[in-house]
Amino acid sequence: MTKFMSNNIVRFILACSIAVFYLFAVQTPDGHAQKGPPATPVKVARVAEVQIAPQVQLIGTAQPKLTSIVASDIEGLVEKFDVSEGDFVKKGAVLARLEDSLLKIELKGAKANKADTEAQLRRARTDLERSSKLLATETIADKQYTDDLAEVQSLEAQVDRLEAEIQHKQDSISKKVILAPFSGFVVKEHTEVGQRVEKGGPIVTLADLSIMEILLEVPERYVPKLVLGGSTQVTVDALNPERFTGKIAAIIPVGDSASRSFPVKVAVENSDNQIKGGMLCRISLAIGKPKSVLAVPKDAVVNMGQSHMIYVVQEGVAKPLPVQLGNASDSMIEIKGAIEASMQVVTRGNERLRPGQPVQIIE
């Protein structure tokens, strides 16, 4: 290496050192230089002693609690079908209309027959009333009164039959309009315009996502420790870091003899339809009585691959502290390591901290 190149390298190192010095030097209020990087604003919380139950995390699959194949109560030709897969429909919305012109013609005829029969019935009742008066004065024979009475009863029966026929026609016409039995998403179409649908034939498959059920297989050693209606924590990989609160909705008492596991259903409210059917979920189930542990807010934990740490604030400086994670409950998580209750840990701003960096606590 030449003397010229050696001198250039020395000058370069010296220049870098000066630049670093000025980069990290800040001025105090009295005009004196303060060494080190500027203080980073952070939010903190105290290490707390809380009650957390032992938990196990299992994987499950989300499915709508309510899924139904909406079928037609009557046969007919599909005249209108305006919904498509993926559409959201409200309860009572029209899914399809079947052709009903012949039924309307038959209904009109039944109403006309009823009106004619009712007119005959009015005349027959008038005749019966006259016969009743004459029979009381023994002016007519009993047979005339009996015939008039029979005529009235026959016509009354015809009116009732025609009224039933009219109601049947009206009911059949109303069934030609297939309505959504509940609010939900159309997940499958089973027909189209111009297709003939038989009685009981499927129209669409409808799914209500407002409440999701997560089905998971629980090892038999944990099943006796589960409580029906017990609260659970649910995370969905596709929605990370969104967390949900669920409840154990069902513990199926018959398990798989091969895997020695039992199906368990966890219900989760999903009013904004974030969770979709088939999504992978991670469920934390409580499997024991709560015990007192040291815990911090989950936001205080910094994940570094397979290891974890927190930043503890001591004398205005952030100091990293390796920890092991334990059980979680709501927003708190158990931590194990060289920690003490009431230590201040950084919960906001820890993603940009460096060991030994000055911090400024903000409210």
Side-chain angles (χ1 to χ4, degrees):
M1 182 181 296
T2 65
K3 182 178 180 180
F4 176 78
M5 293 179 61
S6 177
N7 290 337
N8 282 343
I9 293 173
V10 172
R11 291 192 188 97
F12 176 77
I13 294 174
L14 181 60
C16 288
S17 300
I18 295 173
V20 171
F21 174 81
Y22 280 106
L23 178 64
F24 289 105
V26 297
Q27 296 295 320
T28 60
D30 59 3
H32 292 89
Q34 176 180 311
K35 294 182 179 180
T40 301
V42 296
K43 287 189 176 182
V44 299
R46 299 280 183 180
V47 176
E49 191 171 338
V50 298
Q51 297 287 319
I52 297 181
Q55 296 183 348
V56 62
Q57 188 178 84
L58 300 172
I59 292 177
T61 302
Q63 296 295 340
K65 181 179 180 181
L66 179 58
T67 301
S68 175
I69 298 177
V70 182
S72 174
D73 286 337
I74 196 170
E75 64 178 12
L77 192 71
V78 179
E79 187 176 65
K80 186 177 181 181
F81 185 70
D82 291 336
V83 297
S84 301
E85 292 178 1
D87 287 352
F88 178 80
V89 294
K90 292 185 176 181
K91 181 179 180 180
V94 176
L95 300 175
R97 290 181 185 271
L98 307 184
E99 196 276 330
D100 61 359
S101 56
L102 180 60
L103 278 174
K104 287 181 177 178
I105 292 172
E106 293 175 351
L107 175 63
K108 186 176 181 180
K111 287 182 176 179
N113 287 339
K114 181 187 175 186
D116 180 61
T117 305
E118 286 176 335
Q120 296 179 44
L121 178 60
R122 286 192 293 272
R123 289 194 297 270
R125 283 173 173 167
T126 300
D127 293 343
L128 177 62
E129 184 178 358
R130 183 172 56 251
S131 297
S132 178
K133 291 179 180 178
L134 293 174
L135 182 64
T137 60
E138 298 182 351
T139 306
I140 62 171
D142 291 349
K143 184 177 183 304
Q144 181 64 45
Y145 171 80
T146 302
D147 289 345
D148 290 344
L149 178 60
E151 179 68 10
V152 168
Q153 291 174 337
S154 174
L155 289 172
E156 287 177 341
Q158 290 184 49
V159 170
D160 290 342
R161 179 179 58 78
L162 288 169
E163 177 61 29
E165 182 181 346
I166 289 172
Q167 291 179 3
H168 178 71
K169 299 293 184 186
Q170 290 174 332
D171 181 64
S172 296
I173 290 173
S174 68
K175 288 178 179 178
K176 292 286 186 176
V177 182
I178 295 92
L179 306 177
F182 54 85
S183 298
F185 289 89
V186 177
V187 296
K188 189 174 179 59
E189 302 172 33
H190 296 287
T191 189
E192 58 186 15
V193 173
Q195 182 173 337
R196 187 169 187 80
V197 177
E198 299 300 326
K199 182 178 180 180
I203 303 298
V204 299
T205 299
L206 202 61
D208 178 8
L209 304 188
S210 61
I211 297 180
M212 300 296 286
E213 278 191 342
I214 303 170
L215 182 63
L216 60 153
E217 296 292 328
V218 179
E220 62 179 6
R221 63 184 179 276
Y222 299 134
V223 173
K225 301 176 182 179
L226 300 181
V227 178
L228 193 64
S231 180
T232 67
Q233 295 299 308
V234 178
T235 58
V236 182
D237 282 14
L239 304 176
N240 190 46
E242 191 79 15
R243 295 186 179 94
F244 302 85
T245 299
K247 289 187 176 181
I248 298 177
I251 302 172
I252 311 303
V254 178
D256 186 337
S257 59
S259 63
R260 303 299 178 188
S261 61
F262 290 75
V264 171
K265 293 181 180 180
V266 173
V268 179
E269 289 190 7
N270 186 40
S271 56
D272 53 4
N273 300 317
Q274 280 187 285
I275 306 175
K276 313 299 182 187
M279 282 187 171
L280 185 145
C281 304
R282 301 181 189 275
I283 303 92
S284 296
L285 296 174
I287 55 170
K289 295 182 179 180
K291 61 179 181 179
S292 182
V293 298
L294 293 178
V296 297
K298 292 178 180 178
D299 290 337
V301 179
V302 178
N303 298 316
M304 302 174 63
Q306 298 298 321
S307 59
H308 312 278
M309 73 173 186
I310 59 175
Y311 278 103
V312 178
V313 178
Q314 293 178 344
E315 299 179 353
V317 173
K319 296 183 179 181
L321 184 62
V323 294
Q324 292 82 46
L325 303 184
N327 297 308
S329 176
D330 297 327
S331 62
M332 303 292 285
I333 186 166
E334 177 188 1
I335 54 172
K336 303 172 184 178
I339 58 171
E340 298 177 2
S342 77
M343 276 184 170
Q344 284 187 321
V345 295
V346 179
T347 59
R348 188 69 60 85
N350 48 5
E351 68 281 353
R352 59 180 182 272
L353 285 179
R354 296 295 179 267
Q357 187 170 348
V359 296
Q360 178 184 1
I361 298 175
I362 59 176
E363 297 298 329

